[in-house]
Amino acid sequence: MQLSKKTFQGYREYPEKVLQFGEGNFLRCFVDWMFHELNQKGNFNGSIVVVQPIDKGMVNMLNEQDGLYTLNLRGYKNGKPESTYETIDVISRGINPYEDFAAYLGTAENPEMRYVISNTTEAGIAYDENDTQTATPPNSYPAKLTVWLNHRYKTFNGDQSKGVHIIPCELIDKNADNLKQIVLKYAEQWNLESGFVEWLNSACSFSNTLVDRIVPGYPRERIAEITSELGYEDKQIVEGEHFHLWVIEGPEELQKELPFPSIGLDVLYVKDVTPYKSRKVKILNGAHTALVPVAYLYGIDTVRESVEHPVVGKFIKEAIFNEIIPTLDLPKEELEKFANEVIERFSNPYIKHLLMSIALNSFPKFETRVLPSILEYKKRLGSIPEKLAFSLAATIAFYKGKRGEEEIALNDDAAVLILLKSAWAKYDGSDESVEDVVREVLAFEKNWKLDLNTVEGLTAAVTKHLVNIEKLGMQKAIELV
């Protein structure tokens, strides 16, 4: 038996109010779930029309199940591991604009349509100079959106009340600002009437966002067990963690229209998303990146094992609370709460997160996620944060390419791999040659955007730790930090 509105007794139909570009796991586990909850616990009374943003996608599979799917949330909740199932019925239908462009444009004629959501990957919010207004559809997401917005503007003769709130979820900085800039560029390129631009600026809003939830996606390895447990087949089931955070930099009226916080969801309406992005990048992503080389060279393979390890776990927690948090500007209590949630998420017993899966492109990741904390710590406190410096030393050691007798499958930019191979080839076992390795790596401005040897005390700190790692091994070196 397959999940459908015939087999799901709780099925309800709602007016279509949300247009969503993207049918992937993340939006269905995150935004769609939130709108579903707002239907169940609030008074939203609305459904989502999903638009397939590229030629090949999954809206047909979604339509086969009448937009229904099961959400399996797994992880720690209130301090205890918990796995839950919920049938999500907020999607009314899916549209493939490459097959039915008229149906796509038709949604712009719906007077109740009020919100546009998207997650078209980081590459989705991009300008394509070859896109035309007459294409059915245009290639890029911003061009598709421009055509849709212009059609709505014309349908309702510029009625201010028919504007929409546009809330992109793509993981790029200032996602909404970038999207709006491209839409306005198409409006100019296509010579759309000035009234459309005025309507866009006055009747519509573009809200920058930050999204955060780990979504492993379709639980392929457990699907037979899940199907037996549920009693029906679901080809669209999606797995995610309980933790969720949506930070929205939007107008006040948006919070009134979408009162997610009032039903207990972790949605923050803020004036500036920047400090929250910095918090996430430095604490969550930064901790991941700082942890990987230390834990892996210690002999550990997964994130959960790492944070639960008495030595490595203590190391990363102290790095977060003592060295990363002091570089951030949000209230300390709020930062520590978020940090504790991150540690709990890292300990999720349902997710086997391999350290090597995070190790990809460790050097550029270190530059964006960890180095800002080192530099800001130095600026604010006048010294080098020892644990983050140790992590940098461990990263250099990791790129030697060996864990004991085991070869490490290094995966990074070719220039990084060539640099590290060349630097380590000159190593002769002496402390002086360790310093030479460190100096050569820290001088790699292509990655760091500056010569890190000019940061007072950093070269000496990294050299000291790398000498200990080389002479004593990771398990003894970490105890000296």
Side-chain angles (χ1 to χ4, degrees), residues 76-90:
Y76 280 104
K77 188 174 183 180
N78 300 321
K80 297 179 181 179
E82 183 178 300
S83 177
T84 62
Y85 292 102
E86 184 176 12
T87 303
I88 308 300
D89 68 349
V90 75

Side-chain angles (χ1 to χ4, degrees), residues 14-15 55 57 61 80 100 120 147 149-150 232 248-249 257 266 293 328 333 339 346 378 387 396 412 430 441:
Y14 303 94
D55 188 15
M61 290 177 63
K80 297 179 181 179
D100 193 348
T120 56
V147 168
L149 288 167
N150 189 50
Y232 58 81
I248 303 174
E249 183 185 301
E257 293 182 30
D266 288 327
L328 293 163
E333 183 179 330
F346 286 178
K378 169 68 175 173
K387 289 177 174 56
I396 297 172
D412 212 312
S430 68
V441 172

Side-chain angles (χ1 to χ4, degrees), residues 302-319:
T302 69
V303 173
R304 183 188 177 193
E305 289 175 289
S306 303
V307 295
E308 293 180 350
H309 190 275
V311 176
V312 177
K314 180 174 179 285
F315 169 87
I316 197 60
K317 289 167 190 172
E318 289 181 351

Side-chain angles (χ1 to χ4, degrees), residues 50-66:
V50 172
V51 177
Q52 185 173 296
I54 57 176
D55 188 15
K56 300 186 185 301
M58 302 186 299
V59 295
N60 289 338
M61 290 177 63
L62 201 57
N63 285 331
E64 286 174 7
Q65 295 187 176
D66 300 313

Side-chain angles (χ1 to χ4, degrees), residues 37-196:
E37 293 295 298
L38 204 57
N39 276 336
Q40 304 299 312
K41 301 173 184 176
N43 59 354
F44 180 64
N45 190 40
S47 66
I48 298 170
V49 180
V50 172
V51 177
Q52 185 173 296
I54 57 176
D55 188 15
K56 300 186 185 301
M58 302 186 299
V59 295
N60 289 338
M61 290 177 63
L62 201 57
N63 285 331
E64 286 174 7
Q65 295 187 176
D66 300 313
L68 296 166
Y69 62 95
T70 307
L71 178 62
N72 181 202
L73 297 180
R74 312 174 87 214
Y76 280 104
K77 188 174 183 180
N78 300 321
K80 297 179 181 179
E82 183 178 300
S83 177
T84 62
Y85 292 102
E86 184 176 12
T87 303
I88 308 300
D89 68 349
V90 75
I91 295 175
S92 61
R93 58 187 168 130
I95 296 174
N96 182 350
Y98 294 86
E99 295 179 352
D100 193 348
F101 188 69
Y104 166 64
L105 273 192
T107 60
E109 301 167 6
N110 173 7
E112 293 197 72
M113 194 62 73
R114 181 63 172 158
Y115 312 94
V116 176
I117 305 291
S118 66
N119 187 17
T120 56
T121 78
E122 290 90 325
I125 298 181
Y127 171 71
D128 184 343
E129 63 180 9
N130 297 314
D131 266 327
T132 64
Q133 183 186 0
T134 55
T136 55
N139 178 55
S140 71
Y141 160 51
K144 290 185 183 72
L145 178 60
T146 306
V147 168
W148 187 91
L149 288 167
N150 189 50
H151 187 72
R152 185 171 182 82
Y153 162 76
K154 289 184 173 181
T155 298
F156 296 104
N157 297 311
D159 185 340
Q160 290 286 305
S161 70
K162 297 302 183 290
V164 292
H165 294 294
I166 298 154
I167 315 171
C169 296
E170 287 82 357
L171 294 174
I172 63 171
D173 192 33
K174 300 293 183 183
N175 46 20
D177 291 349
N178 280 279
L179 178 58
K180 183 176 182 179
Q181 183 179 23
I182 299 171
V183 169
L184 290 172
K185 192 170 183 176
Y186 282 125
E188 180 181 4
Q189 178 181 320
W190 298 341
N191 295 314
L192 302 182
E193 59 186 86
S194 60
F196 166 67

Side-chain angles (χ1 to χ4, degrees), residues 343-391:
I343 292 165
E344 186 174 76
R345 295 167 71 189
F346 286 178
S347 302
N348 191 333
Y350 298 105
I351 297 177
K352 187 178 182 180
H353 204 168
L354 294 174
L355 294 169
M356 283 303 295
S357 71
I358 310 170
L360 173 69
N361 295 325
S362 287
F363 264 72
K365 284 179 179 176
F366 200 99
E367 187 271 326
T368 57
R369 300 174 176 186
V370 186
L371 181 59
S373 294
I374 293 177
L375 298 179
E376 190 63 23
Y377 188 97
K378 169 68 175 173
K379 178 181 176 182
R380 296 188 183 193
L381 284 81
S383 59
I384 297 297
E386 288 296 324
K387 289 177 174 56
L388 296 183
F390 184 85
S391 176

Side-chain angles (χ1 to χ4, degrees), residues 183-293:
V183 169
L184 290 172
K185 192 170 183 176
Y186 282 125
E188 180 181 4
Q189 178 181 320
W190 298 341
N191 295 314
L192 302 182
E193 59 186 86
S194 60
F196 166 67
V197 174
E198 293 171 6
W199 176 81
L200 194 70
N201 286 322
S202 60
C204 300
S205 74
F206 287 75
S207 298
N208 293 316
T209 66
L210 171 71
V211 297
D212 189 5
R213 176 174 250 178
I214 296 171
V215 180
Y218 184 77
R220 194 172 306 279
E221 294 180 358
R222 300 186 297 116
I223 196 61
E225 171 192 341
I226 291 172
T227 301
S228 175
E229 190 174 347
L230 294 176
Y232 58 81
E233 182 183 5
D234 183 356
K235 296 178 181 178
Q236 293 288 297
I237 188 169
V238 59
E239 175 189 342
E241 64 172 342
H242 288 289
F243 178 92
H244 61 280
L245 176 66
W246 197 7
V247 184
I248 303 174
E249 183 185 301
E252 288 186 15
E253 64 179 16
L254 188 60
Q255 182 172 1
K256 295 175 183 176
E257 293 182 30
L258 301 177
F260 294 115
S262 70
I263 60 168
L265 296 181
D266 288 327
V267 178
L268 302 177
Y269 288 97
V270 301
K271 292 183 178 179
D272 184 6
V273 76
T274 305
Y276 296 91
K277 180 185 178 185
S278 182
R279 179 183 73 173
K280 175 181 181 286
V281 169
K282 284 189 171 184
I283 295 179
L284 189 150
N285 304 117
H288 258 160
T289 299
L291 174 67
V292 168

